[in-house]
Amino acid sequence: MTTDTQRKGRTAGMTRAVVFDSLGGPEVLKVEEVPLPSPGAGEIQVRVEAIGLNRAEALFRSGGYYYQATLPGSRLGYEAAGVVEAVGEGVTAYAPGDQVLATAGFDFGTHGVHAERVVHPAEFWVRSPEGTDARTAAAAWLTYTTAYGALHETARMAPGDHVLITSASSGVGTAAIQVVRRAGAIPVVTTRGESKRERLLELGAAHVIVTDTEDLAKEVHRITRGKGADLAFDAIGGPGFRAVGDALRPGGTVVLYGWLDPGPIHLSFNWPLTVHTYNNGVLIDDPGFRDRAGAYLASGLASGALAPVIAETFDGLDRIQEAHRLMESSAHTGKIVVRVA
């Protein structure tokens, strides 16, 4: 792999990219001209057409992510769709003109894809599913690979399972509803406020629990006629994680993939209970998983079983602060996308 020192010696031009020099809210984000190296051995240059926003990016720019930004001039962004413009020596998997997606398997403080053009190792990208436009593609890879990896490859979801999905109005949450339904399982989802209940039902949820006014474990047991959910897919953690475990049947499984609540995680005493902590980036590093997840995504998009829910699309990188403000408001349902080109 080409080193940073080697890249600095072969700058080919400049590109516009989202950067930040200090930790904070959306206001710290700015779009600046940054150096764009020519592709070295094993690298490709991609013209970015659309980017997807992720809660991880809000945590990262505010200092709450599991690794920290190197300031000033940190980059940002896991999700993007674009077109290969040039390839470096030894690259045979891609050619100029190929449509590609960022895998999100990288440090986005260094390799952030929220930019007009990027140069990366070729393994940071996969082919975009055939016939998928850039806006849809930018909203698809990370959301569906997270749900697929957690529910199928980690938890071994089976047809007929009752699957509890927390924070269901998020990009990953809406993707998970579709992944559960595609497997013949039953999505039981949560949201904090009543305003999103009908929309989640329209998107395929079998049952919606409003946690501001309803008891999570009590409602799940009512829905399952006293049995409890078979699986849970949790983005929140914190003290509320105990109620997620309480909602499961004895011997149930929960996959924790996020920590929207940064407080201490409380474990249910509803034992036996299997808890998996899930990091999509670890699986993404496995070429076999990338192939399986890519095939799952492509077939689902082609059949219509998978269709990214896009809450709002912003035009131009210069609207990145607006896009982040919407994400932090939690007023949206689905994925936020920014069109770059």
Side-chain angles (χ1 to χ4, degrees), residues 211-223:
T211 55
D212 280 354
T213 58
E214 297 176 310
D215 183 282
L216 174 59
K218 183 177 179 179
E219 283 299 299
V220 170
H221 282 277
R222 180 187 65 79
I223 290 164

Side-chain angles (χ1 to χ4, degrees), residues 2 15 52 59 63 66 96 139 190 202 216 251 253 264 311 314 330 338:
T2 306
T15 191
L59 290 169
Y66 75 93
T190 78
E202 290 171 359
L216 174 59
T253 298
F314 293 83
S330 297
V338 177

Side-chain angles (χ1 to χ4, degrees), residues 36 76 78 101 115 198 237 289 313:
L36 181 72
L76 191 66
Y78 269 145
L101 301 177
E198 288 304 317
F289 174 78
T313 302

Side-chain angles (χ1 to χ4, degrees), residues 9-273:
R10 53 174 174 78
T11 299
M14 304 290 287
T15 191
R16 298 175 78 235
V18 176
V19 299
F20 60 102
D21 295 330
S22 60
L23 301 179
E27 70 279 358
V28 304
L29 300 177
K30 54 188 177 178
V31 180
E32 289 188 346
E33 293 279 339
V34 299
L36 181 72
S38 57
E43 294 182 330
I44 60 175
Q45 178 176 309
V46 177
R47 175 173 55 82
V48 177
E49 295 182 311
I51 63 175
L53 267 61
N54 189 285
R55 289 281 181 180
E57 290 137 15
L59 290 169
F60 186 67
R61 61 153 166 75
S62 61
Y65 203 45
Y66 75 93
Y67 60 85
Q68 296 297 304
T70 300
L71 302 171
S74 177
R75 296 290 290 270
L76 191 66
Y78 269 145
E79 301 172 83
V83 180
V84 176
E85 290 189 316
V87 302
E89 180 183 354
V91 174
T92 59
Y94 302 109
D98 287 345
Q99 301 278 339
V100 290
L101 301 177
T103 65
F106 45 77
D107 178 335
F108 60 12
T110 302
H111 299 290
V113 294
H114 291 183
E116 292 181 347
R117 284 176 169 80
V118 294
V119 171
H120 281 170
E123 62 264 28
F124 287 3
W125 296 81
V126 295
R127 288 186 180 275
S128 182
E130 188 173 350
T132 306
D133 64 89
R135 176 173 167 268
T136 300
W141 176 262
L142 186 56
T143 55
Y144 287 109
T145 59
T146 300
Y148 166 81
L151 294 170
H152 279 291
E153 301 222 353
T154 302
R156 303 298 178 184
M157 177 174 57
D161 281 348
H162 282 87
V163 181
L164 175 63
I165 303 167
T166 67
S167 192
S169 64
S170 68
V172 174
T174 54
I177 292 171
Q178 297 173 14
V179 169
V180 169
R181 290 183 65 88
R182 191 184 187 196
I186 303 161
V188 180
V189 313
T190 78
T191 185
R192 287 185 298 177
E194 184 67 35
S195 63
K196 294 184 179 181
R197 184 192 295 272
E198 288 304 317
R199 179 59 175 148
L200 289 168
L201 290 170
E202 290 171 359
L203 292 174
H207 306 275
V208 178
I209 299 168
V210 177
T211 55
D212 280 354
T213 58
E214 297 176 310
D215 183 282
L216 174 59
K218 183 177 179 179
E219 283 299 299
V220 170
H221 282 277
R222 180 187 65 79
I223 290 164
T224 60
R225 298 183 180 181
K227 174 188 172 186
D230 300 282
L231 304 176
F233 182 51
D234 182 43
I236 302 171
F241 190 65
R242 175 179 292 168
V244 173
D246 290 346
L248 296 179
R249 64 169 172 80
T253 298
V254 57
V255 181
L256 177 63
Y257 74 97
W259 58 93
L260 294 177
D261 185 334
I265 293 172
H266 293 184
L267 184 64
S268 169
F269 292 127
N270 180 25
W271 293 359
L273 176 70

Side-chain angles (χ1 to χ4, degrees), residues 273-297:
L273 176 70
T274 299
V275 177
H276 294 278
T277 53
Y278 181 83
N279 184 337
N280 203 53
V282 173
L283 286 184
I284 288 293
D285 286 340
D286 175 8
F289 174 78
R290 289 201 300 271
D291 289 345
R292 294 190 300 275
Y296 177 87
L297 175 61

